Amino acid sequence: MNLVVVSNRVSRGKPSEPMTGGLAAALLPIVEKSGAIWVGSSGRVRDGNQKEPFAEIEALGAGALAMLDLPAAHYGGYYEGFANSALWPALHSRPDLIRASQEDYHSYREVNAFMARALLRFRKSDSAFWIQDYHFLALGAELRALGVAQPVGFFLHTPWPTRAVISGVPNHRELIEAMLAYDLIGFQTEEDCENFRACVQSDLGLAAHGGIVRSHHGRTRLSVFPIGIDPQQFAQLASKASTHPEVSRLRRSLNGEKLAIGVDRLDYSKGLVNRIKAFDRMWSLHPSLARAASLLQIATPSRGAIEAYGNLQSEVAKLVSDVNGRHGEVDWTPIRYLNKGYGQAVLAGLYRTAQVGVVTPMQDGMNLVAKEYVAAQSPADPGVLVLSKFAGAANELDAALLVNPHDIDGMARTIAVALSMPLTERRMRWEAMMDKLRSGTVQQWFADFTDALWDSRLDREPAEAVIAESPALAPLRSVNTGAARYH
Ligand code: F6P
């Protein structure tokens, strides 16, 4: 199989390259080893009529990386608009933050169609396409409209919310219908898969039998593939990183003080405000922990042009400054707050230095920081993971200290417990979590998905009759089914 992997953000594989998200870090080793072609955005835009998409292509291990300049006229409406101001808040159950317009939806579909045309260049008879994430919900339908008959799969890195929440996204029915052009749709958790199945049933009137939905596109398999990391490689990175200047400087600055670490994109789904309030509460409830334990919070800015992100940046900065002002001393800063990104080589060392990892999103597809924190620990003296029960990772890492990110008092108490947990309990919990990481590696995720993609295509057959049976699809058929309107 000649695999073409597609995602909005890509990684060039430089160890010092700051990583702003789990997806790019996860896909990198897979592309490097499997020899796949990875196609994504160059981060640049290009004016004019993009009949011939411009791609910069370079080698990436045994594979290749093709970076496309996306169309200037539609980039804002696609990325800041529909993808990150309509879909992202909905997928993270924040319907109050949904901002959507038909112009943005049009741009989103245009960029999906543009990407489909660009992918034709990489198509071979034995190709399979694996599309990643919410930026490209309609890409499968666009590929089918161009006559692509090869296997096309999709993996959603975010949660899929309840029907009530997703229905706050304009054109959601049309998008869900377009998604059925995929042979296989993968989710992080059973709950996401079940929510999607319920949407297909209620919005389109189509039932899933044995995880398979039949539509006029053919059969679509819905399945769960929790994404992992390479724990062995991450552990090696962490032990090597101890001599990294930035890691040594952090260690020297601690003077025996304990450290908790949080590493997130600056995003409202990550629970930064409640986390900082929890530390504030902890230092108030346990004054003995002042000077004895501090927080290093790395919050990498992203999507800064979107109002909700700008507001969050100001809110978090103000809160950190307020907490530092109240609890700080002339020679002690409770929260070190950094608005920049770090490469994985440094992050691995920072994780290993911290006695507690705090990963407390309000909602998260998986959260690979949680997995990386665990893998980075020293087996002889591991740190403790404090993990939100609303992160996909909590399904596997149930030996972490699980918290409710809405409960600030509860988080404050749990972080204090983590900071003083005895070695035997830390080791027991850590071993249990490492067992899970070893049995669910990113390599396994890749193999499971691509095997299932291949199998699902083998038994795919068009089921033209099904659409006729479904009254819920009638309005869609007359307005727009799949990609037709955009060509
Ligand atoms: O699953 C969500 C995701 O694709 C992550 O991999 C990453 O955290 C984020 O979204 C990417 O954000 P952006 O590319 O907009 O900075």
Side-chain angles (χ1 to χ4, degrees), residues 24 26-27 37 88 97 105 123 143 205 208 215-216 250 307 344 364 368 400 402 428 436 451 466 474-475:
L27 291 178
I37 300 172
W88 180 272
L97 294 178
Y105 179 63
R123 174 173 63 160
L143 285 168
S215 72
H216 69 107
L250 171 66
E307 196 188 350
Q344 290 216 297
D364 216 332
L368 294 181
L402 296 183
M428 207 178 68
K436 299 277 177 69
D451 287 353
V466 177

Side-chain angles (χ1 to χ4, degrees), residues 7-29:
S7 64
N8 177 68
R9 190 180 280 278
V10 294
S11 162
R12 300 182 95 136
K14 311 261 181 293
S16 57
E17 178 184 35
M19 289 285 183
T20 56
L23 180 156
L27 291 178
L28 179 63

Side-chain angles (χ1 to χ4, degrees), residues 20 128 131 354 372 413 443 446 455:
T20 56
I131 316 302
E372 290 170 356
R413 284 194 301 272
Q443 288 80 8
F446 172 80
D455 290 348

Side-chain angles (χ1 to χ4, degrees), residues 275-285 323 326-327:
R275 185 184 308 166
I276 290 162
K277 286 183 178 167
F279 274 88
D280 182 10
R281 192 67 57 88
M282 180 189 80
W283 285 310
S284 299
L285 290 173
V323 173
R326 278 186 292 105
H327 294 288

Side-chain angles (χ1 to χ4, degrees), residues 8-9 20-25 79 84 88 92 133-135 156-158 188 265 267 270 301-303 364-365:
N8 177 68
R9 190 180 280 278
T20 56
L23 180 156
Y79 179 75
N84 286 313
W88 180 272
H92 292 84
D133 233 356
Y134 63 100
H135 306 87
L156 183 68
H157 290 257
T158 69
Q188 300 275 26
R265 266 184 326 99
D267 191 296
K270 302 294 180 184
S302 88
R303 309 173 191 172
D364 216 332

Side-chain angles (χ1 to χ4, degrees), residues 173 177 200-209 212-218 461-475 477:
R173 284 181 73 218
E177 193 279 335
V200 169
Q201 168 84 64
S202 59
D203 281 343
L204 307 181
L206 298 175
H209 299 289
I212 293 184
V213 181
R214 295 177 78 227
S215 72
H216 69 107
H217 293 288
E461 67 182 38
E464 286 300 335
V466 177
I467 195 165
E469 284 162 18
S470 166
L473 281 179
R477 279 203 309 278

Side-chain angles (χ1 to χ4, degrees), residues 191-254:
E191 190 181 343
D192 301 327
C193 189
E194 176 51 31
N195 284 345
F196 184 78
R197 195 204 53 71
C199 289
V200 169
Q201 168 84 64
S202 59
D203 281 343
L204 307 181
L206 298 175
H209 299 289
I212 293 184
V213 181
R214 295 177 78 227
S215 72
H216 69 107
H217 293 288
R219 294 175 198 217
T220 301
R221 180 178 292 277
L222 311 181
S223 205
V224 177
F225 303 89
I227 194 170
I229 62 167
D230 182 338
Q232 203 188 345
Q233 195 225 357
F234 209 83
Q236 281 164 5
L237 214 54
S239 56
K240 273 203 232 134
S242 61
T243 55
H244 194 287
E246 212 123 9
V247 178
S248 318
R249 287 213 312 275
L250 171 66
R251 242 196 338 260
R252 277 201 304 276
S253 74
L254 288 172

